[in-house]
Amino acid sequence: MTKNRALAEWVNEVVELTQPDTIQWCDGSEQEYQTLIEEMLTTGELVELNQQTHPGCYLHRSDPTDVARTEHLTYVCTAKSEDAGPNNQWMAPEEAHAKVDALFEGAMRGRTLYVVPYCMGPIDSPFSRCGVELTDSPYVVANMRKMTRMGSEALARIERDGSFVKGLHSLGDLHPERRFIMHFPEELAIKSIGSGYGGNALLGKKCHALRIASWQARQEGWLAEHMLIVGIENPQGEVRYIAAAFPSACGKTNMAMLIPPTQFEGYKIWTVGDDIAWLHVGHDGQLWAINPEAGFFGVAPGTGVETNPNAVEMLNRDTIFTNVAVTEDNQPWWEGLSNEIPKLDWTGKPYDATSGKKAAHPNSRFTVAANQCRSYSSMAEADTGVPISAIIFGGRRKSLAPLVYEAKSWAHGVMVGASVASETTAAAVGKVGVVRRDPMAMKPFCGYNFGDYWGHWLSLEQRAAKLPKIFHVNWFRQNEAGHFLWPGFGENLRVLQWVLARCEETGDAIESPIGWLPDKNAINTEGLAISPNAMEQLVSIDIPAWQQEMQDIAGFFEQFNDRFPQQLKRELDRVMGELSPTAKKKAANSA
Ligand code: SAT
Ligand code: MN
């Protein structure tokens, strides 16, 4: 089945352990995909949607206890616990292997074991990395085919390179008490059992392309980040690329597919990726990014013709929906798509609109090949990746964080990224809307100690001559009445325009202790119904609140002890000093 000895031996070991009835080596062909779909239609794992309006579209209703990532069951298993850091749950590798292997024992009896070779990134790019997922879920195989370059070509590359990440997955009995997502970065291995949900089960995504890859990236001198990549073409035809990190379900897919406001004639947006970026230092000293994925696993609710018309259009065919509702005529439906009242809710029961419950699960998803998106960039397939002009960090914050500000230096930018906080969303199990620190939007995804990770970020300055500028944005600021101050969506291009102007040393800015804020009229608000008062609120800072915030950040950093880089400590002290008037006065007196 393969010339690669390590792969053949590992498959044999897994077969012995899990006892599947059949083994299927996946080639990634259309025919193979169609056969899988037909099998799942027979077993009920998929139901057919309206094939007239949505050809090739199917719905998967997951187990109701298996609808999001389970961070409390996700572990990083390094030999030393300090290497996983306080940002991860840790288990000793032997213990973790023993624990999950006991659950894998005989787990595939009566099932098929699918061998899924995949490549993260363009098949011939030197930046791409391969993996093999062994799974007993045909839903996972079908999703991996949309999300990655899966099949024969990936296997050929594995046989050429000789290396791959080993991912073992089984649905197990789907019981939350027997659900674990274990990462062994030192062995380049993943073992996941008891869940069929995207981030837990499509192992190429968060498990490989973020947790394992971030570890590999540190060793090899690059970065694996939770970032979208978008190209902005101006009327002169010049394209600049931005990479932006936001926590899950904060609108990365919408931003990656943004439609320019009507006033921005001649502007075009090119989608390179919506979730993950792998960044390398090029020979020219710039950061170059590839999107390791080949598809979108996006949040359905809130995706509508107003918020993301490109997405709505791409979802009209060849899409796998998970946990959405369906209409009277069997079309997929979710909150924010239309005013129609759906017939069935996400569990398949008749929907009662008076119940006050949502019809689609708030974390319901679509899986679709990236090339179905009208704005998909041809550069997404380029082996070199795209050069990054700016890095943006953002969170969901009702208050405090201004619409946008620019870090004063690379090291300051790393501190800004390290102190990102956001209100939690439905993408992970747990309470929604609580503020938590989510450094670089990587809290659930960094495969090693954040202290070391920030040190690695800082070290790029020695290795890259032309690093991008770093910014922080907050699209989610609210006024006292709880209304969003900024319209968001396509209008965010107005902010990106200032960001790019800053990169070209043209945008007007005012220095503040937390960074450079846009000058009063620096953001183009032409044609936008926004009051000068709201705009003022959006680009100003509340000093006492920021002093409190910096105290909080300092407290958060304390847990990283001696792994916390001194350079970040100096940045923190500098910002705190600038925020404190007494410190300023003292400095002035001594000058
Ligand atoms: O973890 S998933 O990839 O399923 C979704 C997300 O949290 O971004
Ligand atoms: Mn994500």
Side-chain angles (χ1 to χ4, degrees), residues 77 97 141 149 168 170 213 220 296 344 361 387 450 466 533 564 591:
C77 310
H97 280 301
V141 182
R149 283 116 177 138
L168 172 57
S170 170
E220 299 170 7
F296 307 119
L344 303 176
H361 188 277
F450 261 151
K466 279 187 272 173
N533 185 21
F564 188 72

mmCIF file with all atom_site columns, all heavy atoms in Angstrom, residues 77 97 141 149 168 170 213 220 296 344 361 387 450 466 533 564 591:
data_model
loop_
_atom_site.group_PDB
_atom_site.id
_atom_site.type_symbol
_atom_site.label_atom_id
_atom_site.label_alt_id
_atom_site.label_comp_id
_atom_site.label_asym_id
_atom_site.label_entity_id
_atom_site.label_seq_id
_atom_site.pdbx_PDB_ins_code
_atom_site.Cartn_x
_atom_site.Cartn_y
_atom_site.Cartn_z
_atom_site.occupancy
_atom_site.B_iso_or_equiv
_atom_site.pdbx_formal_charge
_atom_site.auth_seq_id
_atom_site.auth_comp_id
_atom_site.auth_asym_id
_atom_site.auth_atom_id
_atom_site.pdbx_PDB_model_num
ATOM 1   N N   . CYS A 1 77  ? 1.229   16.518 25.493 1.00 0.00 ? 77  CYS A N   1
ATOM 2   C CA  . CYS A 1 77  ? 1.943   15.519 26.289 1.00 0.00 ? 77  CYS A CA  1
ATOM 3   C C   . CYS A 1 77  ? 3.430   15.541 25.938 1.00 0.00 ? 77  CYS A C   1
ATOM 4   O O   . CYS A 1 77  ? 3.895   14.794 25.076 1.00 0.00 ? 77  CYS A O   1
ATOM 5   C CB  . CYS A 1 77  ? 1.341   14.139 26.022 1.00 0.00 ? 77  CYS A CB  1
ATOM 6   S SG  . CYS A 1 77  ? -0.463  14.138 26.194 1.00 0.00 ? 77  CYS A SG  1
ATOM 7   N N   . HIS A 1 97  ? -0.538  7.815  26.506 1.00 0.00 ? 97  HIS A N   1
ATOM 8   C CA  . HIS A 1 97  ? -0.635  6.692  25.560 1.00 0.00 ? 97  HIS A CA  1
ATOM 9   C C   . HIS A 1 97  ? -1.442  5.561  26.185 1.00 0.00 ? 97  HIS A C   1
ATOM 10  O O   . HIS A 1 97  ? -2.344  4.997  25.555 1.00 0.00 ? 97  HIS A O   1
ATOM 11  C CB  . HIS A 1 97  ? 0.757   6.185  25.181 1.00 0.00 ? 97  HIS A CB  1
ATOM 12  C CG  . HIS A 1 97  ? 1.441   7.029  24.138 1.00 0.00 ? 97  HIS A CG  1
ATOM 13  N ND1 . HIS A 1 97  ? 0.905   7.249  22.895 1.00 0.00 ? 97  HIS A ND1 1
ATOM 14  C CD2 . HIS A 1 97  ? 2.624   7.700  24.162 1.00 0.00 ? 97  HIS A CD2 1
ATOM 15  C CE1 . HIS A 1 97  ? 1.728   8.021  22.191 1.00 0.00 ? 97  HIS A CE1 1
ATOM 16  N NE2 . HIS A 1 97  ? 2.777   8.318  22.941 1.00 0.00 ? 97  HIS A NE2 1
ATOM 17  N N   . VAL A 1 141 ? -13.347 11.656 6.790  1.00 0.00 ? 141 VAL A N   1
ATOM 18  C CA  . VAL A 1 141 ? -12.647 11.506 5.504  1.00 0.00 ? 141 VAL A CA  1
ATOM 19  C C   . VAL A 1 141 ? -13.202 12.515 4.488  1.00 0.00 ? 141 VAL A C   1
ATOM 20  O O   . VAL A 1 141 ? -12.443 13.231 3.828  1.00 0.00 ? 141 VAL A O   1
ATOM 21  C CB  . VAL A 1 141 ? -12.793 10.074 4.941  1.00 0.00 ? 141 VAL A CB  1
ATOM 22  C CG1 . VAL A 1 141 ? -12.017 9.942  3.626  1.00 0.00 ? 141 VAL A CG1 1
ATOM 23  C CG2 . VAL A 1 141 ? -12.312 9.037  5.956  1.00 0.00 ? 141 VAL A CG2 1
ATOM 24  N N   . ARG A 1 149 ? -5.239  18.910 1.021  1.00 0.00 ? 149 ARG A N   1
ATOM 25  C CA  . ARG A 1 149 ? -4.894  18.220 -0.222 1.00 0.00 ? 149 ARG A CA  1
ATOM 26  C C   . ARG A 1 149 ? -4.699  16.764 0.174  1.00 0.00 ? 149 ARG A C   1
ATOM 27  O O   . ARG A 1 149 ? -3.662  16.409 0.739  1.00 0.00 ? 149 ARG A O   1
ATOM 28  C CB  . ARG A 1 149 ? -3.625  18.800 -0.832 1.00 0.00 ? 149 ARG A CB  1
ATOM 29  C CG  . ARG A 1 149 ? -3.857  20.144 -1.545 1.00 0.00 ? 149 ARG A CG  1
ATOM 30  C CD  . ARG A 1 149 ? -3.125  21.250 -0.881 1.00 0.00 ? 149 ARG A CD  1
ATOM 31  N NE  . ARG A 1 149 ? -3.250  22.539 -1.561 1.00 0.00 ? 149 ARG A NE  1
ATOM 32  C CZ  . ARG A 1 149 ? -3.443  23.691 -0.904 1.00 0.00 ? 149 ARG A CZ  1
ATOM 33  N NH1 . ARG A 1 149 ? -3.581  23.713 0.405  1.00 0.00 ? 149 ARG A NH1 1
ATOM 34  N NH2 . ARG A 1 149 ? -3.515  24.823 -1.561 1.00 0.00 ? 149 ARG A NH2 1
ATOM 35  N N   . LEU A 1 168 ? -4.088  9.546  14.863 1.00 0.00 ? 168 LEU A N   1
ATOM 36  C CA  . LEU A 1 168 ? -5.003  8.419  15.015 1.00 0.00 ? 168 LEU A CA  1
ATOM 37  C C   . LEU A 1 168 ? -6.310  8.936  15.582 1.00 0.00 ? 168 LEU A C   1
ATOM 38  O O   . LEU A 1 168 ? -6.315  9.649  16.594 1.00 0.00 ? 168 LEU A O   1
ATOM 39  C CB  . LEU A 1 168 ? -4.371  7.381  15.961 1.00 0.00 ? 168 LEU A CB  1
ATOM 40  C CG  . LEU A 1 168 ? -5.272  6.212  16.389 1.00 0.00 ? 168 LEU A CG  1
ATOM 41  C CD1 . LEU A 1 168 ? -5.816  5.452  15.188 1.00 0.00 ? 168 LEU A CD1 1
ATOM 42  C CD2 . LEU A 1 168 ? -4.488  5.261  17.311 1.00 0.00 ? 168 LEU A CD2 1
ATOM 43  N N   . SER A 1 170 ? -10.569 7.893  16.374 1.00 0.00 ? 170 SER A N   1
ATOM 44  C CA  . SER A 1 170 ? -11.741 7.016  16.346 1.00 0.00 ? 170 SER A CA  1
ATOM 45  C C   . SER A 1 170 ? -12.903 7.713  17.032 1.00 0.00 ? 170 SER A C   1
ATOM 46  O O   . SER A 1 170 ? -12.702 8.478  17.981 1.00 0.00 ? 170 SER A O   1
ATOM 47  C CB  . SER A 1 170 ? -11.446 5.694  17.066 1.00 0.00 ? 170 SER A CB  1
ATOM 48  O OG  . SER A 1 170 ? -12.659 4.965  17.221 1.00 0.00 ? 170 SER A OG  1
ATOM 49  N N   . ALA A 1 213 ? 2.276   21.816 14.562 1.00 0.00 ? 213 ALA A N   1
ATOM 50  C CA  . ALA A 1 213 ? 3.076   22.681 13.682 1.00 0.00 ? 213 ALA A CA  1
ATOM 51  C C   . ALA A 1 213 ? 3.734   23.820 14.460 1.00 0.00 ? 213 ALA A C   1
ATOM 52  O O   . ALA A 1 213 ? 4.854   24.224 14.137 1.00 0.00 ? 213 ALA A O   1
ATOM 53  C CB  . ALA A 1 213 ? 2.216   23.228 12.550 1.00 0.00 ? 213 ALA A CB  1
ATOM 54  N N   . GLU A 1 220 ? 12.166  24.892 13.742 1.00 0.00 ? 220 GLU A N   1
ATOM 55  C CA  . GLU A 1 220 ? 12.674  25.155 12.391 1.00 0.00 ? 220 GLU A CA  1
ATOM 56  C C   . GLU A 1 220 ? 12.720  26.638 12.044 1.00 0.00 ? 220 GLU A C   1
ATOM 57  O O   . GLU A 1 220 ? 13.077  27.007 10.930 1.00 0.00 ? 220 GLU A O   1
ATOM 58  C CB  . GLU A 1 220 ? 11.803  24.403 11.367 1.00 0.00 ? 220 GLU A CB  1
ATOM 59  C CG  . GLU A 1 220 ? 11.819  22.889 11.569 1.00 0.00 ? 220 GLU A CG  1
ATOM 60  C CD  . GLU A 1 220 ? 10.775  22.172 10.719 1.00 0.00 ? 220 GLU A CD  1
ATOM 61  O OE1 . GLU A 1 220 ? 10.125  22.815 9.879  1.00 0.00 ? 220 GLU A OE1 1
ATOM 62  O OE2 . GLU A 1 220 ? 10.610  20.949 10.906 1.00 0.00 ? 220 GLU A OE2 1
ATOM 63  N N   . PHE A 1 296 ? -12.758 25.638 3.777  1.00 0.00 ? 296 PHE A N   1
ATOM 64  C CA  . PHE A 1 296 ? -13.239 26.438 4.903  1.00 0.00 ? 296 PHE A CA  1
ATOM 65  C C   . PHE A 1 296 ? -14.173 25.592 5.756  1.00 0.00 ? 296 PHE A C   1
ATOM 66  O O   . PHE A 1 296 ? -15.079 24.940 5.225  1.00 0.00 ? 296 PHE A O   1
ATOM 67  C CB  . PHE A 1 296 ? -14.002 27.673 4.404  1.00 0.00 ? 296 PHE A CB  1
ATOM 68  C CG  . PHE A 1 296 ? -13.240 28.504 3.406  1.00 0.00 ? 296 PHE A CG  1
ATOM 69  C CD1 . PHE A 1 296 ? -13.731 28.707 2.117  1.00 0.00 ? 296 PHE A CD1 1
ATOM 70  C CD2 . PHE A 1 296 ? -12.021 29.087 3.746  1.00 0.00 ? 296 PHE A CD2 1
ATOM 71  C CE1 . PHE A 1 296 ? -13.032 29.469 1.188  1.00 0.00 ? 296 PHE A CE1 1
ATOM 72  C CE2 . PHE A 1 296 ? -11.314 29.853 2.828  1.00 0.00 ? 296 PHE A CE2 1
ATOM 73  C CZ  . PHE A 1 296 ? -11.815 30.046 1.546  1.00 0.00 ? 296 PHE A CZ  1
ATOM 74  N N   . LEU A 1 344 ? -37.226 22.145 10.490 1.00 0.00 ? 344 LEU A N   1
ATOM 75  C CA  . LEU A 1 344 ? -36.589 21.283 11.488 1.00 0.00 ? 344 LEU A CA  1
ATOM 76  C C   . LEU A 1 344 ? -35.404 22.003 12.134 1.00 0.00 ? 344 LEU A C   1
ATOM 77  O O   . LEU A 1 344 ? -34.667 22.717 11.461 1.00 0.00 ? 344 LEU A O   1
ATOM 78  C CB  . LEU A 1 344 ? -36.073 19.993 10.839 1.00 0.00 ? 344 LEU A CB  1
ATOM 79  C CG  . LEU A 1 344 ? -37.088 19.130 10.093 1.00 0.00 ? 344 LEU A CG  1
ATOM 80  C CD1 . LEU A 1 344 ? -36.390 17.945 9.441  1.00 0.00 ? 344 LEU A CD1 1
ATOM 81  C CD2 . LEU A 1 344 ? -38.203 18.651 11.031 1.00 0.00 ? 344 LEU A CD2 1
ATOM 82  N N   . HIS A 1 361 ? -27.617 25.120 15.425 1.00 0.00 ? 361 HIS A N   1
ATOM 83  C CA  . HIS A 1 361 ? -26.715 25.199 16.587 1.00 0.00 ? 361 HIS A CA  1
ATOM 84  C C   . HIS A 1 361 ? -25.817 26.434 16.411 1.00 0.00 ? 361 HIS A C   1
ATOM 85  O O   . HIS A 1 361 ? -25.357 26.691 15.289 1.00 0.00 ? 361 HIS A O   1
ATOM 86  C CB  . HIS A 1 361 ? -25.873 23.928 16.707 1.00 0.00 ? 361 HIS A CB  1
ATOM 87  C CG  . HIS A 1 361 ? -25.089 23.891 17.981 1.00 0.00 ? 361 HIS A CG  1
ATOM 88  N ND1 . HIS A 1 361 ? -23.880 24.525 18.099 1.00 0.00 ? 361 HIS A ND1 1
ATOM 89  C CD2 . HIS A 1 361 ? -25.376 23.354 19.189 1.00 0.00 ? 361 HIS A CD2 1
ATOM 90  C CE1 . HIS A 1 361 ? -23.446 24.377 19.349 1.00 0.00 ? 361 HIS A CE1 1
ATOM 91  N NE2 . HIS A 1 361 ? -24.337 23.659 20.023 1.00 0.00 ? 361 HIS A NE2 1
ATOM 92  N N   . PRO A 1 387 ? 3.690   37.692 0.487  1.00 0.00 ? 387 PRO A N   1
ATOM 93  C CA  . PRO A 1 387 ? 4.418   38.526 1.448  1.00 0.00 ? 387 PRO A CA  1
ATOM 94  C C   . PRO A 1 387 ? 3.440   39.283 2.349  1.00 0.00 ? 387 PRO A C   1
ATOM 95  O O   . PRO A 1 387 ? 2.452   39.827 1.862  1.00 0.00 ? 387 PRO A O   1
ATOM 96  C CB  . PRO A 1 387 ? 5.187   39.502 0.544  1.00 0.00 ? 387 PRO A CB  1
ATOM 97  C CG  . PRO A 1 387 ? 4.372   39.576 -0.713 1.00 0.00 ? 387 PRO A CG  1
ATOM 98  C CD  . PRO A 1 387 ? 3.685   38.260 -0.872 1.00 0.00 ? 387 PRO A CD  1
ATOM 99  N N   . PHE A 1 450 ? 3.680   29.081 26.360 1.00 0.00 ? 450 PHE A N   1
ATOM 100 C CA  . PHE A 1 450 ? 3.542   30.432 25.803 1.00 0.00 ? 450 PHE A CA  1
ATOM 101 C C   . PHE A 1 450 ? 4.794   31.295 26.047 1.00 0.00 ? 450 PHE A C   1
ATOM 102 O O   . PHE A 1 450 ? 5.134   32.141 25.217 1.00 0.00 ? 450 PHE A O   1
ATOM 103 C CB  . PHE A 1 450 ? 2.331   31.136 26.415 1.00 0.00 ? 450 PHE A CB  1
ATOM 104 C CG  . PHE A 1 450 ? 1.081   31.103 25.558 1.00 0.00 ? 450 PHE A CG  1
ATOM 105 C CD1 . PHE A 1 450 ? -0.178  31.136 26.151 1.00 0.00 ? 450 PHE A CD1 1
ATOM 106 C CD2 . PHE A 1 450 ? 1.163   31.086 24.175 1.00 0.00 ? 450 PHE A CD2 1
ATOM 107 C CE1 . PHE A 1 450 ? -1.332  31.136 25.378 1.00 0.00 ? 450 PHE A CE1 1
ATOM 108 C CE2 . PHE A 1 450 ? 0.009   31.082 23.392 1.00 0.00 ? 450 PHE A CE2 1
ATOM 109 C CZ  . PHE A 1 450 ? -1.240  31.113 24.001 1.00 0.00 ? 450 PHE A CZ  1
ATOM 110 N N   . LYS A 1 466 ? 12.787  42.773 7.274  1.00 0.00 ? 466 LYS A N   1
ATOM 111 C CA  . LYS A 1 466 ? 11.622  43.616 6.945  1.00 0.00 ? 466 LYS A CA  1
ATOM 112 C C   . LYS A 1 466 ? 10.344  43.040 7.536  1.00 0.00 ? 466 LYS A C   1
ATOM 113 O O   . LYS A 1 466 ? 9.429   42.636 6.810  1.00 0.00 ? 466 LYS A O   1
ATOM 114 C CB  . LYS A 1 466 ? 11.482  43.724 5.424  1.00 0.00 ? 466 LYS A CB  1
ATOM 115 C CG  . LYS A 1 466 ? 12.417  44.771 4.830  1.00 0.00 ? 466 LYS A CG  1
ATOM 116 C CD  . LYS A 1 466 ? 12.129  44.975 3.353  1.00 0.00 ? 466 LYS A CD  1
ATOM 117 C CE  . LYS A 1 466 ? 12.918  43.988 2.506  1.00 0.00 ? 466 LYS A CE  1
ATOM 118 N NZ  . LYS A 1 466 ? 12.614  43.970 1.102  1.00 0.00 ? 466 LYS A NZ  1
ATOM 119 N N   . ASN A 1 533 ? -19.050 61.681 17.375 1.00 0.00 ? 533 ASN A N   1
ATOM 120 C CA  . ASN A 1 533 ? -18.919 61.268 18.765 1.00 0.00 ? 533 ASN A CA  1
ATOM 121 C C   . ASN A 1 533 ? -18.545 59.777 18.888 1.00 0.00 ? 533 ASN A C   1
ATOM 122 O O   . ASN A 1 533 ? -17.641 59.387 19.636 1.00 0.00 ? 533 ASN A O   1
ATOM 123 C CB  . ASN A 1 533 ? -20.246 61.572 19.470 1.00 0.00 ? 533 ASN A CB  1
ATOM 124 C CG  . ASN A 1 533 ? -20.159 61.284 20.946 1.00 0.00 ? 533 ASN A CG  1
ATOM 125 O OD1 . ASN A 1 533 ? -19.069 61.232 21.503 1.00 0.00 ? 533 ASN A OD1 1
ATOM 126 N ND2 . ASN A 1 533 ? -21.311 61.077 21.564 1.00 0.00 ? 533 ASN A ND2 1
ATOM 127 N N   . PHE A 1 564 ? 9.066   33.455 30.964 1.00 0.00 ? 564 PHE A N   1
ATOM 128 C CA  . PHE A 1 564 ? 8.565   34.713 30.418 1.00 0.00 ? 564 PHE A CA  1
ATOM 129 C C   . PHE A 1 564 ? 9.724   35.595 29.959 1.00 0.00 ? 564 PHE A C   1
ATOM 130 O O   . PHE A 1 564 ? 10.622  35.908 30.740 1.00 0.00 ? 564 PHE A O   1
ATOM 131 C CB  . PHE A 1 564 ? 7.725   35.447 31.471 1.00 0.00 ? 564 PHE A CB  1
ATOM 132 C CG  . PHE A 1 564 ? 7.035   36.655 30.913 1.00 0.00 ? 564 PHE A CG  1
ATOM 133 C CD1 . PHE A 1 564 ? 5.964   36.505 30.049 1.00 0.00 ? 564 PHE A CD1 1
ATOM 134 C CD2 . PHE A 1 564 ? 7.468   37.939 31.215 1.00 0.00 ? 564 PHE A CD2 1
ATOM 135 C CE1 . PHE A 1 564 ? 5.321   37.611 29.505 1.00 0.00 ? 564 PHE A CE1 1
ATOM 136 C CE2 . PHE A 1 564 ? 6.834   39.055 30.668 1.00 0.00 ? 564 PHE A CE2 1
ATOM 137 C CZ  . PHE A 1 564 ? 5.761   38.885 29.815 1.00 0.00 ? 564 PHE A CZ  1
ATOM 138 N N   . ALA A 1 591 ? 14.792  64.841 33.482 1.00 0.00 ? 591 ALA A N   1
ATOM 139 C CA  . ALA A 1 591 ? 15.373  65.140 32.168 1.00 0.00 ? 591 ALA A CA  1
ATOM 140 C C   . ALA A 1 591 ? 16.098  66.491 32.164 1.00 0.00 ? 591 ALA A C   1
ATOM 141 O O   . ALA A 1 591 ? 15.829  67.345 32.962 1.00 0.00 ? 591 ALA A O   1
ATOM 142 C CB  . ALA A 1 591 ? 14.286  65.134 31.102 1.00 0.00 ? 591 ALA A CB  1
#
